[in-house]
Amino acid sequence: MQSQAKSRIAVVGFGPRGLGALEALAARLPHAWHPLAVEIFEPFPARGAGPNFDPAESPFCRLNIPLRDIDIRPPDIGACGSFADWLPGPVDPDVFPPRTEIGRYLEARVRDLCKDKALSLTFHADHVLAAEQVGTGWRMKAGDAWHGPYDEVLLTVGQPKVSPDDQLAEWQAHADETGAALADAYPARDLARRTEDWTGKTVAIRGLALSAFDVLRVLTEAQGGRFVDGVYIPSGREPARILPFSLDGRPPFPKPETEGIDALFEPTEAETGCFQDHIARAAAADPGTARELIGAALLPVLERIWKKAGGAADKAAIEDWLRTEWTDPGTQEIGGPEKILHDGIAMAEGRVPPGIGYTAGQVWRKWQDSLRSGFNPADTAPETAELIIGFDEGLKRYSYGPPVSFSHELAALIRAGIVDPGLSADPGIELVSNGWKLSADGREAVAEVMIDAVLPSPDLSIVTDPLVTGLVSDGRLSPVADGMGARTTADGTVLGTDGTQSRGLTFLGRLALGSVIAADSLQDCFGAAASRWALGVIARIGAPRTGDR
């Protein structure tokens, strides 16, 4: 058995994913192996929270899930308990908390972890530049120094820097040459400060997903505007006109407004069990079989729920909708952005029966844990992974939607004439001396400011972070398929270009998309993936396996 004294672990990146992994390890480490030395490399000051949940971020950035659905696994260590228990005073289960509150909660969990006797933690506020194998271990370069060797290195780097796409690269050069204002959506607190200079100007937003709602609040509420009884009351400090746009120009559908409406879409225990079986088989199957298995599990549930919620319960219509969703997601919806917006609000509030797509999206949202439990441990063929992930990504326009209050805010901004959706659907964009000229359907407008609110895809090939690019160049990291993330085993061990495992080098998170699915969820950071990683570490360092505390 390996000596306890020689066991050292390094964690690169310490947001929620790194925190969840170390909590899982601390809870499962045999007492005879306490404490295990862990060195954490994270330059970002908000330990455990990361940029997405930074307590110093703008309070106008909110979660897209209500408190009642924040099912973050409570730690098996410390005294924090669940997020709802940690919050002071009575809480409304239907409220969508600011991301800053989650950040403070995660920081409290880090403090508990630091007190736990299972791990001895050392923090380095350095960016890791390289990793290399030395004997049976690993060492890493951070700044000018090499650290290690380590028996285990866990990479939980979140979304590292990437090379811009062709459009964004052209815009960056244009902004440098002309002085036109090009801004990122985040950090939102920085965007809020820059917005002070954009009063009375026209601002375009690239992207019409969840980040766009954060941007809209920063451009309006953060500048002193108010929403009162469905009416936006401007402060006079906001931009004169805001032009959000995307490829299809349609806003995402909001989530059900109340717990009662949400309950209409709840699958039965038997239906969920069927889906768990089918998704596990689908992940190990060829694409055609996978599609049939998922459809067979989903179709009867949609038929039952759609009928119960007041839909037509036409099985043929549901089958036709699903066929289209596999190949051309989003083309089933009819109408422009305002119609889609108001249809979504009406369905979320239960004022009209839900459409097939809305029903499918809410059911799929409730099956996210089952989806991960079936897909993530499997050795899935690249073609099958692309199919299932594409289906999941398409349904995000429903399953990852905003609270209905956000949709009402967007509608109020449109009525106030501040948001103009008339150029939202894939407009032509021409670079002009004072900014960007957008045009569509005979209309045009010049935006002096462009805000990028598009989250980079988890594509290993576009990452510019030197640690990741170095491991790719060395053949240690390889993509599942073109445009996807890193190949890993069920416990996160990375697979090289030749398919061999790099023992002791593991990777968790969204940049492993293809090996894992639905990794953008906060809940996933504290779920089964963290437990599999922890058990893998315990096995590799030679510690006897033990149960949870």
Side-chain angles (χ1 to χ4, degrees), residues 387-406:
L387 176 84
I388 299 175
I389 287 171
F391 189 72
D392 177 60
E393 292 290 320
L395 283 176
K396 281 184 177 179
R397 65 192 189 276
Y398 302 106
S399 59
Y400 275 49
V404 70
S405 61
F406 290 8

Side-chain angles (χ1 to χ4, degrees), residues 19-29 31 34 72-83 105 108-110 112-119 525-528 530-532 534-535 538 546-549:
L19 171 61
L22 288 185
E23 284 183 344
L25 180 60
R28 290 160 178 78
L29 195 67
H31 286 283
H34 293 176
I72 309 172
R73 177 180 59 80
D76 299 309
I77 58 176
C80 275
S82 70
F83 178 56
Y105 168 68
R109 286 176 65 151
V110 171
D112 277 351
L113 182 66
C114 290
K115 298 173 186 175
D116 193 79
K117 295 180 180 180
L119 306 177
C525 297
F526 299 90
S531 297
R532 287 193 298 270
L535 292 174
I538 288 171
T546 186
D548 297 355
R549 294 184 189 179

Side-chain angles (χ1 to χ4, degrees), residues 199-277:
T199 299
K201 293 186 177 182
T202 297
V203 176
I205 305 173
R206 183 173 86 144
L208 197 45
L210 292 174
S211 294
F213 288 91
D214 285 343
V215 171
L216 286 172
R217 285 192 298 280
V218 167
L219 296 177
T220 56
E221 277 193 287
Q223 306 309 312
R226 294 179 297 132
F227 293 95
V228 179
D229 297 330
V231 175
Y232 180 70
I233 302 175
S235 68
R237 297 195 296 271
E238 54 272 286
R241 194 179 183 197
I242 303 172
L243 308 174
F245 65 91
S246 64
L247 289 177
D248 65 11
R250 294 169 175 171
F253 287 75
K255 289 185 174 68
E257 183 179 31
T258 66
E259 187 173 9
I261 297 172
D262 192 41
L264 294 172
F265 304 98
E266 193 71 44
T268 66
E269 185 175 339
E271 289 168 342
T272 296
C274 175
F275 176 73
Q276 288 176 328
D277 172 67

Side-chain angles (χ1 to χ4, degrees), residues 128-158:
V128 175
L129 303 174
E132 64 179 26
Q133 193 166 23
V134 285
T136 59
W138 297 85
R139 68 173 190 157
M140 297 186 302
K141 185 177 183 181
D144 296 327
W146 284 91
H147 300 258
Y150 304 101
D151 299 275
E152 294 277 336
V153 172
L154 169 62
L155 308 180
T156 57
V157 295

Side-chain angles (χ1 to χ4, degrees), residues 12 195 270 293 356 463 469 522:
V12 182
T195 301
L293 285 166
I356 300 172
V463 174
T469 58
L522 177 62

Side-chain angles (χ1 to χ4, degrees), residues 37-405:
V38 179
E39 294 185 37
I40 298 168
F41 294 81
E42 175 55 78
F44 197 78
R47 295 172 179 173
N52 286 349
F53 303 99
D54 183 3
E57 183 56 293
S58 168
F60 293 98
C61 296
R62 292 185 171 270
L63 292 173
N64 71 317
I65 52 176
L67 184 63
R68 65 175 183 270
D69 287 340
I70 300 177
D71 187 24
I72 309 172
R73 177 180 59 80
D76 299 309
I77 58 176
C80 275
S82 70
F83 178 56
D85 291 339
W86 175 84
L87 288 170
V91 291
D92 180 354
D94 291 331
V95 74
F96 289 73
R99 292 207 292 270
T100 54
E101 286 190 359
I102 286 284
R104 286 190 286 272
Y105 168 68
L106 296 175
E107 286 188 321
R109 286 176 65 151
V110 171
R111 290 192 290 272
D112 277 351
L113 182 66
C114 290
K115 298 173 186 175
D116 193 79
K117 295 180 180 180
L119 306 177
S120 175
L121 304 182
T122 301
F123 291 90
H124 301 279
D126 298 305
H127 188 77
V128 175
L129 303 174
E132 64 179 26
Q133 193 166 23
V134 285
T136 59
W138 297 85
R139 68 173 190 157
M140 297 186 302
K141 185 177 183 181
D144 296 327
W146 284 91
H147 300 258
Y150 304 101
D151 299 275
E152 294 277 336
V153 172
L154 169 62
L155 308 180
T156 57
V157 295
Q159 179 56 63
K161 291 184 178 180
V162 301
S163 56
D165 58 51
D166 291 344
Q167 184 182 60
L168 186 56
E170 184 180 33
W171 291 357
Q172 289 171 345
H174 176 62
D176 290 340
E177 292 170 3
T178 65
L182 176 62
D184 291 325
Y186 303 106
R189 61 181 181 274
D190 293 344
L191 183 65
R193 286 192 289 268
R194 294 192 66 180
T195 301
E196 295 172 3
D197 298 328
W198 301 336
T199 299
K201 293 186 177 182
T202 297
V203 176
I205 305 173
R206 183 173 86 144
L208 197 45
L210 292 174
S211 294
F213 288 91
D214 285 343
V215 171
L216 286 172
R217 285 192 298 280
V218 167
L219 296 177
T220 56
E221 277 193 287
Q223 306 309 312
R226 294 179 297 132
F227 293 95
V228 179
D229 297 330
V231 175
Y232 180 70
I233 302 175
S235 68
R237 297 195 296 271
E238 54 272 286
R241 194 179 183 197
I242 303 172
L243 308 174
F245 65 91
S246 64
L247 289 177
D248 65 11
R250 294 169 175 171
F253 287 75
K255 289 185 174 68
E257 183 179 31
T258 66
E259 187 173 9
I261 297 172
D262 192 41
L264 294 172
F265 304 98
E266 193 71 44
T268 66
E269 185 175 339
E271 289 168 342
T272 296
C274 175
F275 176 73
Q276 288 176 328
D277 172 67
H278 281 221
I279 192 62
R281 291 162 55 194
D286 62 86
T289 302
R291 177 173 165 170
E292 291 176 2
L293 285 166
I294 294 171
L298 193 53
L299 179 62
V301 183
L302 297 186
E303 188 176 10
R304 177 186 66 79
I305 292 177
W306 199 35
K307 180 178 180 179
K308 179 181 177 181
D314 185 339
K315 181 178 180 180
I318 299 174
E319 289 175 327
D320 183 64
W321 190 95
L322 286 171
R323 276 193 296 270
T324 304
E325 186 66 13
W326 283 108
T327 57
D328 298 294
T331 59
Q332 305 97 317
E333 285 89 38
I334 299 174
E338 289 189 78
K339 182 180 186 303
I340 296 295
L341 176 63
H342 290 290
D343 286 351
I345 290 172
M347 286 187 277
E349 294 178 342
R351 292 187 283 109
V352 300
I356 300 172
Y358 193 82
T359 305
Q362 305 317 310
V363 171
W364 195 256
R365 171 172 58 86
K366 292 174 180 292
W367 276 347
Q368 291 288 285
D369 284 344
S370 298
L371 174 65
R372 286 188 286 262
S373 68
F375 185 97
N376 290 356
D379 182 11
T380 305
E383 298 82 4
T384 302
E386 289 182 289
L387 176 84
I388 299 175
I389 287 171
F391 189 72
D392 177 60
E393 292 290 320
L395 283 176
K396 281 184 177 179
R397 65 192 189 276
Y398 302 106
S399 59
Y400 275 49
V404 70
S405 61

